[in-house]
Amino acid sequence: MTLRTNSTNTPNKIAPVFGQNSFNKHEEIVFFNDEETGLKAIVGIHNSVLGPALGGTRMWNYDNEWDALNDVLRLSRGMTYKAAVSGLDLGGGKAVIIGDATTQKTDILMRKFGKFIHSLGGKYLTAEDMGMETRDMDIIREVTPYVTGVSEEKGGSGNPSPSTALGVFMGLKAATKFQFGSDNLNGKKILVQGVGHVGEILVKHLTDEGASIIINDINEEAIERISKTYNTKIHRGTDIYSLDVDIYAPCAMGATLNDYSIPQLKAKVIAGAANNQLANELKHSKLLQEKGITYAPDFLVNAGGIINIYREIKNISKIDAIHRTENIYNTTLEILAMAQKNEITTHQAAFNLAQKRINDRKLSGEITR
Ligand code: NAD
């Protein structure tokens, strides 16, 4: 199964780990293998200056191990900046399990994975990502406390997707205000690519505001059901990037903003849940800027889930987490304005803010690890 991790990232087979384009000062990369269960997993700890490295586990049927490695490297780095820009005392990490979640995921495999996570002693805290469910987190919790996104019945914060969807919705509204002068979504044409856990709830928020939605997904059952429930249009073709829409919300896989898609885009706002939307951060954020497209940085607007999970680590209330998630609206507006003022890309502006927080913590000497 192809998951485009980075279109510019041809594996460097001479320097298999530190030589990857996605390698970026990562602190630790751990490979796990279990013969009995067939578990093959990689954990990437990018940065732990602000706190323990937190990030979900993705179970995906990668074409090859290079794709899995590059995915975990890119995703864990993204988590560092997501936590930092959101003001959370967490570092960035991520895990991938190589395998098909629909056919190869078993309770025994999850427990074994949990034991591996436990062996890291809390340096890495896991959670859900694509291919994983709250139920899996509950199973992992049986063998380790170093897991978040556990169900509410088991004392956790539950499925993070509704909070992620709320944050994306707030970021999307802010970017719409910046681009069009008003955040009113009534009548706006919006393409939602991927109507899974996050995409579906985002569609609900958007239709509640009177937006006109087109959905696209490879899961035929999901598009049929969601189209009926929320009265949306469906687009099945591969020509989705050239659709005549105002806003594009990528909520499936990463790297959809690339050399192929950007020249075709008619949308003037991009805001979605997918991680690592820019195939090449520098080049493609610049191309979007040149086309006059307002790009709401992914790691900023999709932070609602991690903000909700933060309740399991710091003693903050559910309502406080909701307010922090709603505040993504203000942070997005600030970052978009900062980018405009400094004539830099919106991605760079968000990145600068996050990096400043990490640098300040380093300078203060209050590093928790
Ligand atoms: P999900 O697995 O529930 O949904 C993803 C959807 O995308 C599925 O319906 C799938 O069929 C569809 N899809 C996959 N490949 C596609 C393709 N080529 N074209 C169209 N559709 C395709 O995942 P999710 O939890 O909804 O997360 C969506 C994205 O947001 C992921 O990139 C994830 O990493 C990111 N994200 C999720 C959360 C969260 O709280 N769940 C938080 C932050 C970021």
Side-chain angles (χ1 to χ4, degrees):
M1 196 184 293
T2 299
L3 181 76
R4 300 191 56 196
T5 51
N6 184 345
S7 66
T8 61
N9 208 11
T10 310
N12 178 346
K13 296 184 184 177
I14 294 170
V17 176
F18 302 124
Q20 298 306 301
N21 278 348
S22 311
F23 182 81
N24 175 272
K25 303 179 196 159
H26 285 72
E27 290 174 5
E28 196 165 343
I29 302 159
V30 187
F31 292 78
F32 290 120
N33 176 52
D34 181 56
E35 280 301 301
E36 257 168 52
T37 56
L39 174 68
K40 288 198 162 32
I42 315 174
V43 172
I45 297 178
H46 177 252
N47 188 289
S48 59
V49 168
L50 293 175
L54 188 144
T57 297
R58 174 171 291 186
M59 186 161 181
W60 192 264
N61 204 8
Y62 292 96
D63 281 346
N64 55 64
E65 291 173 23
W66 297 110
D67 281 359
L69 175 63
N70 279 301
D71 209 22
V72 81
L73 291 175
R74 270 165 60 88
L75 290 165
S76 53
R77 174 175 176 268
M79 291 307 295
T80 296
Y81 297 108
K82 187 184 306 200
V85 81
S86 308
L88 309 178
D89 284 336
L90 291 172
K94 204 87 183 181
V96 295
I97 297 176
I98 302 172
D100 187 337
T102 57
T103 57
Q104 290 173 278
K105 193 167 61 177
T106 61
D107 291 1
I108 298 171
L109 189 99
M110 286 297 104
R111 275 190 208 98
K112 189 71 211 181
F113 178 65
K115 284 185 185 157
F116 279 145
I117 297 302
H118 192 72
S119 71
L120 297 176
K123 280 190 285 191
Y124 167 68
L125 310 176
T126 198
E128 292 95 336
D129 193 66
M130 282 165 82
M132 301 290 269
E133 313 277 340
T134 306
R135 179 180 178 278
D136 301 318
M137 300 305 118
D138 287 354
I139 296 169
I140 294 170
R141 174 53 68 85
E142 290 171 15
V143 295
T144 181
Y146 305 131
V147 53
T148 61
V150 171
S151 66
E152 294 187 89
E153 303 86 75
K154 303 233 165 162
S157 60
N159 176 7
S161 303
S163 303
T164 304
L166 174 64
V168 171
F169 175 63
M170 300 313 291
L172 183 150
K173 273 180 81 71
T176 302
K177 184 174 170 62
F178 189 82
Q179 177 75 31
F180 298 111
S182 159
D183 67 7
N184 187 349
L185 297 175
N186 193 11
K188 285 271 177 300
K189 287 185 272 179
I190 306 178
L191 166 67
V192 180
Q193 180 187 36
V195 283
H197 291 101
V198 181
E200 176 172 358
I201 306 168
L202 179 65
V203 166
K204 182 179 181 336
H205 285 300
L206 298 173
T207 46
D208 282 352
E209 290 236 338
S212 167
I213 308 295
I214 303 172
I215 57 172
N216 170 265
D217 199 296
I218 51 174
N219 182 336
E220 194 55 34
E221 182 279 319
I223 44 177
E224 284 294 340
R225 179 178 56 76
I226 289 161
S227 166
K228 282 196 187 89
T229 311
Y230 302 101
N231 192 22
T232 71
K233 293 189 188 125
I234 297 174
H235 187 84
R236 288 195 174 80
T238 49
D239 54 338
I240 53 167
Y241 301 109
S242 60
L243 287 182
D244 182 20
V245 293
D246 302 302
I247 299 164
Y248 163 44
C251 296
M253 62 295 184
T256 62
L257 302 174
N258 52 50
D259 289 343
Y260 168 76
S261 64
I262 295 173
Q264 301 179 52
L265 287 173
K266 296 206 176 67
K268 283 287 169 208
V269 167
I270 298 173
N275 286 308
N276 300 330
Q277 292 166 24
L278 299 162
N280 179 310
E281 292 173 3
L282 290 181
K283 178 181 179 190
H284 296 122
S285 58
K286 190 88 186 120
L287 278 181
L288 292 172
Q289 184 188 29
E290 284 164 8
K291 270 195 89 165
I293 295 173
T294 300
Y295 168 65
D298 49 10
F299 63 91
L300 167 68
V301 303
N302 72 10
I306 193 178
I307 293 172
N308 189 54
I309 278 173
Y310 201 51
R311 296 199 279 132
E312 291 180 41
I313 297 156
K314 300 272 167 172
N315 193 17
I316 64 166
S317 68
K318 191 170 183 169
I319 198 77
D320 188 20
I322 292 171
H323 286 152
R324 284 179 185 229
T325 302
E326 286 172 343
N327 198 43
I328 287 176
Y329 182 95
N330 294 322
T331 316
T332 304
L333 275 180
E334 271 168 40
I335 282 170
L336 298 179
M338 206 185 290
Q340 190 177 50
K341 182 170 163 240
N342 297 321
E343 297 178 4
I344 55 175
T345 67
T346 58
H347 174 84
Q348 189 66 49
F351 181 85
N352 290 354
L353 194 72
Q355 189 64 55
K356 182 176 182 321
R357 200 167 158 250
I358 295 169
N359 293 347
D360 288 352
R361 180 68 59 87
K362 259 194 200 157
L363 285 173
S364 76
E366 288 170 31
I367 298 180
T368 47
R369 76 192 138 95

